[in-house]
Amino acid sequence: MSPAMSLTAIGLVVAATIGIGLFGLRISRTTSDFYVASRAVTPRWNASAISGEYLSAASFLGVAGLVLVNGADMLWFSVGYTVGYLMLLVLIAAPLRRSGAYTLPDFAETRFESAPVRKICSCLVFGIGTLYLLPQLRGAGLALQTVTGAPTEVGAAVVAIIVVINVAAGGMRSITFVQAFQYWLKLTALATPIFVILIAWRSGDHPVGVLESLQGAGAEWAEPLSRAGGRDHPVYATYSLLLALCFGTMGLPHVLVRFYTNPDGRAARRTTVVVLALLGVFYLFPPVYAVLGRSFAPDLIGAGADTVVLELPGRIFPGTAGDLLGALVAAGAFAAFLSTSSGLTVAIAGVIDQDLLRNRLHRLTGGDYLAVNSFRIAALLAVAVPYLAFNLTGALSLADTVGLAFAVAASTFCPLLVLGIWWRKMSTVGAAAGLIVGGVAAITAVLVNVIGPPQGGWPKALIGQPAAWTMPLAFITVIVVSKLTPHKIPRGTARSMVRLHTPEAVDVDRGLSPLT
Amino acid sequence: MSDTRRAAGDPEMTTYRDVQLSPDFSELRRRFRRFVFPMTGLFLAWYFLYVLLADYAPGFMSTKIGGNINIALLLGLGQFVSTFAITLLYVRWADQKFDPDAKHLRDQIEGETQ
């Protein structure tokens, strides 16, 4: 692989990202611009931006790596990532928009009228965001290492710095344009090498012995639920993964905030349809890389499977053609790291700014500061913490780390949102208990995975894919505790329910209700 | 608790309470739930069934239909198609059924608060 060409391509992506960010700077002036682009982005732009933001290092590099090692079962990652959007759309997108809350903590506060519940939500947003940012930084490190041989800290630092500058400078408006551009870049970068390979294969001037590698000793890899790669209890693991991805998407901070950038509920639905199509097209390609990888890069199965997408073009086409394709893929990978990290950073920074920073700054400076500056400091914090964590933690595969972030979201925000929107008898204590029990269970599983997972059997399966037990645990906790504390049902439940379930055009008060 | 506020003559609370208790509002919520929850259950069951079939009925799943195409492949592709079909169905339902009903409720509320 030619470092010069790949570095040039990465440089161009970075330049374009910052360039569009600066262009956005001129139009984003108010706080509302920063958070949700003043709610005026058309469905097509928005769908490209949502897809651009959602397709992270885990999708671009991680899925292919997991399929390469563990075989067909890992295809459920791409199915789950996509179906999560459908769940979000039908179950909660419309009511949540109507609640008038910008963030998950906002929703918790309006619905449950409780500052402690809000604080728990803020901490969870920060935790889930950090867990999701971690693999983005790790992916960036791996990509730069593959291209230049630099240590992984360098790539991670590059992405961290660019994201902070971009978010602090432009906010959401410029992010929308940046991400829409990055979706198309990612799709092009992933698809082009595949088409070139297919053309070479059909014209017969290049030996592509793919099918041979799937027969004989390697055949088990292509079988579903085959335990290839040493994953025990495949049915449990698959169910748990599907649950985490289907119900976790609704609890991801950067995904939710995106639904507010639509002008109305109708546009939000249109946007989701386009998003599903865009994601579906994208996910056709990672499995192809994995299958080709079985033939052309079998050495990566042992270690470094996450780099298969980056390595493959150079292995199949040694020489200039491979260099060019490799540079394109590296550029696409950086687009993936940058777009997801930017979106996450905007969302997490929003929460840090509102819940942790602004009041303190206000006290420190005696009110002599701009709201936007607080947001900028929050953006710096939002990236600095995962960067430190990245330097401390070991090598969990990209898609697995992201899968765990989904599991935490599914065990905390999913019960809060689904029951909070649909169940009138949910009490404030029940909400808090569900968040704490689900959160502690899922985060414990994450930590065990990071520090040193069990070696095999049920313990490994249960800890590796915790959602199938942590999510029901959280739901049951909310329901039981709410039944036990009926006197703690929020006073404004009737009002919240009307607000959540009547269409937006109705002139009910959607402003944040002050704490009573 | 709302009842005490109502007794104290909080006009805003009374409207919200009335809307929530009104048959139209419960009907609207009921309709939404009756469409959305079964739909969600159905497509989740469909995904989970596919996993079960792959585990317990590999013979059935690998039945060749022609060339390299077998039942598992068809069902797998069918999941993509069905996910998209469900989405389109929901969007159509929301545009054609839910929004008009909601508009009706809106007219009612706005009439009352004026």
Side-chain angles (χ1 to χ4, degrees):
Chain A
M1 192 176 283
S2 144
M5 219 180 282
S6 296
L7 282 179
T8 312
I10 292 171
L12 283 176
V13 170
V14 170
T17 304
I18 294 177
I20 304 176
L22 286 178
F23 165 72
L25 186 60
R26 266 178 283 151
I27 27 187
S28 79
R29 293 220 174 77
T30 65
T31 309
S32 169
D33 276 338
F34 263 86
Y35 283 125
V36 292
S38 303
R39 294 198 178 205
V41 182
T42 62
R44 265 185 221 172
W45 267 106
N46 210 10
S48 297
I50 290 179
S51 311
E53 179 172 40
Y54 194 55
L55 295 169
S56 68
S59 302
F60 197 90
L61 302 178
V63 170
L66 275 188
V67 176
L68 174 70
V69 177
N70 299 293
D73 292 348
M74 299 297 119
L75 294 175
W76 288 108
F77 267 97
S78 29
V79 175
Y81 285 148
T82 314
V83 174
Y85 258 98
L86 185 51
M87 303 296 271
L88 175 65
L89 171 74
V90 293
L91 285 180
I92 61 157
L96 200 74
R97 272 184 58 87
R98 292 181 201 129
S99 74
Y102 278 105
T103 63
L104 283 162
D106 279 350
F107 169 79
E109 186 179 328
T110 39
R111 174 70 179 79
F112 297 104
E113 299 160 22
S114 152
V117 173
R118 183 186 178 112
K119 273 273 183 294
I120 300 172
C121 286
S122 306
C123 295
L124 281 169
V125 165
F126 193 34
I128 293 169
T130 301
L131 200 56
Y132 211 116
L133 271 172
L134 200 66
Q136 312 308 323
L137 298 178
R138 194 173 159 64
L142 279 178
L144 212 64
Q145 189 176 45
T146 310
V147 171
T148 64
T152 49
E153 290 81 15
V154 179
V158 168
V159 165
I161 291 167
I162 295 166
V163 166
V164 171
I165 292 176
N166 207 37
V167 170
M172 198 81 164
R173 166 74 96 174
S174 52
I175 292 283
T176 302
F177 293 128
V178 171
Q179 282 168 342
F181 155 75
Q182 279 166 344
Y183 169 79
W184 294 103
L185 178 64
K186 277 183 262 191
L187 184 65
T188 313
L190 205 60
T192 308
I194 297 294
F195 285 116
V196 174
I197 291 167
L198 284 180
I199 290 165
W201 192 5
R202 280 201 67 86
S203 62
D205 56 7
H206 201 279
V208 184
V210 179
L211 294 175
E212 284 78 10
S213 72
L214 296 182
Q215 282 151 10
E220 191 204 23
W221 173 83
E223 295 280 325
L225 308 168
S226 64
R227 294 165 209 214
R231 298 200 173 203
D232 284 340
H233 303 288
V235 176
Y236 165 82
T238 306
Y239 275 7
S240 194
L241 175 69
L242 260 177
L243 280 175
L245 300 182
C246 287
F247 292 99
T249 307
M250 65 178 71
L252 297 178
H254 64 307
V255 169
L256 271 184
V257 80
R258 271 266 150 224
F259 272 88
Y260 292 108
T261 50
N262 289 296
D264 57 39
R266 214 181 149 86
R269 293 198 288 265
R270 295 275 169 286
T271 302
T272 311
V273 176
V274 184
V275 168
L276 285 178
L278 295 179
L279 293 182
V281 169
F282 183 87
Y283 282 125
L284 290 174
F285 296 101
V288 183
Y289 278 89
V291 174
L292 291 169
R294 293 296 287 192
S295 292
F296 290 94
D299 54 302
L300 293 181
I301 297 168
D306 279 330
T307 60
V308 62
V309 170
L310 298 164
E311 292 269 1
L312 206 61
R315 303 250 184 140
I316 295 182
F317 302 104
T320 317
D323 285 346
L324 270 176
L325 292 175
L328 184 63
V329 174
F334 261 78
F337 314 141
L338 288 176
S339 55
T340 303
S341 312
S342 306
L344 273 167
T345 306
V346 169
I348 307 169
V351 169
I352 298 180
D353 170 29
Q354 244 181 333
D355 292 337
L356 304 171
L357 212 57
R358 197 172 289 190
N359 285 336
R360 268 166 220 173
L361 272 184
H362 196 82
R363 252 177 282 136
L364 271 176
T365 61
D368 184 23
Y369 76 104
L370 291 167
V372 167
N373 277 337
S374 165
F375 179 82
R376 286 178 177 148
I377 298 169
L380 184 65
L381 278 178
V383 178
V385 171
Y387 183 74
L388 289 177
F390 158 80
N391 284 314
L392 297 175
T393 53
L396 203 61
S397 100
L398 298 179
D400 276 332
T401 319
V402 168
L404 289 172
F406 276 83
V408 177
S411 315
T412 52
F413 287 127
C414 174
L416 182 85
L417 288 168
V418 171
L419 292 176
I421 288 171
W422 296 104
W423 192 37
R424 257 177 296 177
K425 294 187 175 142
M426 184 166 173
S427 78
T428 306
V429 184
L435 287 172
I436 291 171
V437 170
V440 167
I443 289 171
T444 307
V446 171
L447 290 178
V448 173
N449 270 307
V450 171
I451 295 164
Q455 286 311 303
W458 274 112
K460 186 182 179 191
L462 289 172
I463 293 292
Q465 297 293 353
W469 58 275
T470 54
M471 196 178 112
L473 184 70
F475 268 96
I476 290 168
T477 308
V478 173
I479 291 168
V480 170
V481 175
S482 292
K483 290 268 185 209
L484 291 176
T485 55
H487 54 287
K488 293 284 188 187
I489 295 173
R491 288 153 52 100
T493 298
R495 170 205 183 99
S496 301
M497 284 294 167
V498 171
R499 193 192 285 167
L500 287 169
H501 295 281
T502 46
E504 277 171 282
V506 180
D507 189 22
V508 292
D509 169 27
R510 292 182 204 283
L512 290 179
S513 60
L515 285 176
T516 45
Chain B
M1 250 172 269
S2 307
D3 287 330
T4 55
R5 288 183 70 175
R6 187 178 189 173
D10 181 335
E12 189 194 47
M13 213 57 209
T14 315
T15 314
Y16 281 117
R17 190 82 185 146
D18 285 348
V19 172
Q20 210 204 339
L21 292 176
S22 80
D24 279 342
F25 182 70
S26 352
E27 175 64 18
L28 192 73
R29 272 185 41 161
R30 206 166 59 86
R31 269 201 196 171
F32 194 78
R33 271 191 307 219
R34 244 190 1 210
F35 181 85
V36 161
F37 288 162
M39 197 72 138
T40 310
L42 199 74
F43 75 70
L44 274 184
W46 164 223
Y47 284 116
F48 281 38
L49 182 73
Y50 187 86
V51 179
L52 276 188
L53 281 176
D55 197 36
Y56 295 107
F60 165 73
M61 290 295 260
S62 53
T63 310
K64 285 260 156 71
I65 291 176
N68 281 322
I69 298 166
N70 61 21
I71 289 188
L73 186 67
L74 278 187
L75 289 183
L77 289 175
Q79 296 201 320
F80 278 90
V81 176
S82 59
T83 303
F84 210 71
I86 287 170
T87 315
L88 290 178
L89 208 65
Y90 169 77
V91 169
R92 241 184 57 156
W93 173 83
D95 285 352
Q96 293 182 354
K97 293 273 308 172
F98 187 73
D99 278 359
D101 289 350
K103 188 178 174 303
H104 172 74
L105 185 70
R106 173 181 84 193
D107 297 342
Q108 197 190 354
I109 299 173
E110 282 174 355
E112 272 170 21
T113 47
Q114 268 154 21

